[in-house]
Amino acid sequence: FALPEADPPQDALDADERNRERARIVLDRYGVVFRELLANEFPASQWQALFGALRSMELAGEAVCGQFFDGISGPQFASPEAAARLEQGLPGDAVFWLAADDPASPCGLGLEGFRGRLPKRLPGTTLVYHGNRLVLVAKSGGKSLDILVAPDEAALPEYLRPLEAMIRPGMSRSFLSLDVINGSEAASSPYLDPLRQRFDVAVNPHSVGLFRRS
């Protein structure tokens, strides 16, 4: 149901405090914020509305301004906690994944340093990273895979773990039908052996069925 209309700010100080509170929310959500990242927020939480508040928070020690990531033009603001964590360095051996349309995803933001390197910001697309390296992209809910490492990559079975979450035992989707790997038919792909290390695999003429192991 629709939320009631918010009371308008009483004066400039009230408006400034509201913008600061919105800035605290996005800093808590993202850790680091910049113009493109806030483009998908509601207008009151976009860059133009919050930039002044972020500058004021920088002067007050509530935010840190700097260049935390390459490939992003313009100022970047971070919470002090996020800035301290970045100074310590991110774990290079961590394997993690996120949806292309997740708020934290850089897909579809038009960032200069990422153009041509990321898929479109579409539901059903999942990105898998090993440290800061993109290693696998699952599209169309797992029907198509772009695997960016060799078939003999030792960590490849771990990169395939997100596909398990797409298979729901006991429900209508009790297996995953994989049609395409790196632009070719999955049934004849050299990546079948790594898939067999994590799944029970049924090879069909034009697709591969992946079943979770009990």
Side-chain angles (χ1 to χ4, degrees), residues 199-214:
F199 301 95
D200 290 330
V201 175
V203 179
N204 303 307
H206 301 291
S207 65
V208 173
L210 304 180
F211 298 82
R212 291 184 66 161
R213 289 177 177 160
S214 56

Side-chain angles (χ1 to χ4, degrees), residues 44 48 99 108 115 131 165-166:
Q48 184 176 358
R115 288 174 185 167
M166 302 176 188

Side-chain angles (χ1 to χ4, degrees), residues 5 23 43 49 68 73 83 85 100 135 139 146-147 175 179 205:
E5 291 289 337
F68 302 100
S73 60
R85 184 173 181 181
V135 293
K139 302 175 182 177
D146 290 337
I147 303 177
F175 70 96
D179 301 332

